[in-house]
Amino acid sequence: MKLNKFCAKCGKILSDPIDIHSGFLCINCYRASGATAAIPSQIILRRCIECHSYSLKGPDQEFPWVFQLEDENDMDFMTRILLDALFSKLEKKNLTQYDLFFKPDFSLQNVKDIEVKLRISTSDGRDPQIDSMVLKYKEIHCPHCAKISGGRFDSVLQLRYYPNTKTKIFDRILHECEIINQEERVKNPANFVSKIENTQNGVDLKLSTLIMLKVMVSRLKNTFNFTIKHSRKLMGRDSRDGSDLYRHYILLKNIPFEPDDRIVMENEEFIVKKVQNKRITLENAATGKIMLLTFTFFDKKKWIMKENA
């Protein structure tokens, strides 16, 4: 007499060996046991109309917006964001390996819905299981681009130069800000310059996050010399925990001196010998006397660049 095999969990008769999954479970119980339980049959792939970043949205979770790398093809990009969002954690939790397969002609250009085949290998050496999921394609404005179009910002970087001393150095600072904005946006779409406003003796950069403000200041300080002032403005209270919400401001006032520049101060001419470590070394052009001054000294004294004297 032939003995029937049955699911160890629900009791369903398993007449065909292909229906037997790890732990003597039927396909439904095997899915519920963990290896494929967390894999949704359908997930939304969102693409931002403005910045062309992508994000996955599951039944109960939204995943971060990310950019496709310049040298990354469409198939590698989709595999990366799916593994990062869904399968890497499942592999560790269930001791499984997920291999993803797309149609040979797969492309993110003019795409609608995307079918993804999954091969799920378990650590017990049994034959891999085959599953599938569908990515529903949708084009929207990401929250970061919506923030830009609305002019919203959480912090402000105030870049200033001394009156009558706007030089090529300040133009280089603004160019460096453009580079930082582009690089940080690729790393994290939430970090960006929302708006730029011209002000007296400088510009205000309205930034999306406090993190962007800290990154911008840190990178600019590595290349240029500034006096720095911090301030913040109370904007309200957090509705979740009642804590105070502040908008942070950092003012960077450029010290425009480079070695061999000449400045006039109190009717005397000085030669800039060295600029480093928040200090400037000056030499009196007439007497040769050396002066070691802090950056803040130039906020208190009247001076002018020799070329403008």
Side-chain angles (χ1 to χ4, degrees), residues 57 89 91-92 105 138 147 164 173 175 179 191 194 200 247 262 265 272 277 284 299 301 303 307:
K57 182 179 180 182
K89 293 181 180 179
E91 287 181 340
K92 295 178 182 178
D105 59 349
K138 185 177 182 180
K147 195 172 185 179
N164 302 319
I173 292 172
H175 180 65
I179 295 174
N191 294 330
S194 179
Q200 185 176 10
R247 177 174 290 160
R262 290 175 178 262
M265 186 167 50
V272 177
N277 298 327
N284 190 303
D299 284 330
K301 290 285 186 178
W303 55 273
E307 61 186 23

Side-chain angles (χ1 to χ4, degrees), residues 193-209:
V193 177
S194 179
K195 190 176 181 181
I196 301 177
E197 290 185 353
N198 292 319
T199 64
Q200 185 176 10
N201 299 328
V203 298
D204 284 349
L205 302 183
K206 309 295 180 67
L207 307 178
S208 60
T209 64

Side-chain angles (χ1 to χ4, degrees), residues 199-243:
T199 64
Q200 185 176 10
N201 299 328
V203 298
D204 284 349
L205 302 183
K206 309 295 180 67
L207 307 178
S208 60
T209 64
L210 179 58
I211 293 176
M212 183 62 169
L213 176 64
K214 293 179 178 179
V215 169
M216 190 80 77
V217 170
S218 176
R219 292 185 58 175
L220 289 176
K221 283 169 56 181
N222 290 336
T223 308
F224 305 98
N225 300 303
F226 303 96
T227 58
I228 304 176
K229 293 182 180 179
H230 300 257
S231 62
R232 63 182 186 175
K233 180 180 179 181
L234 180 63
M235 303 302 295
R237 291 187 179 275
D238 192 323
S239 58
R240 295 169 295 181
D241 56 17
S243 60

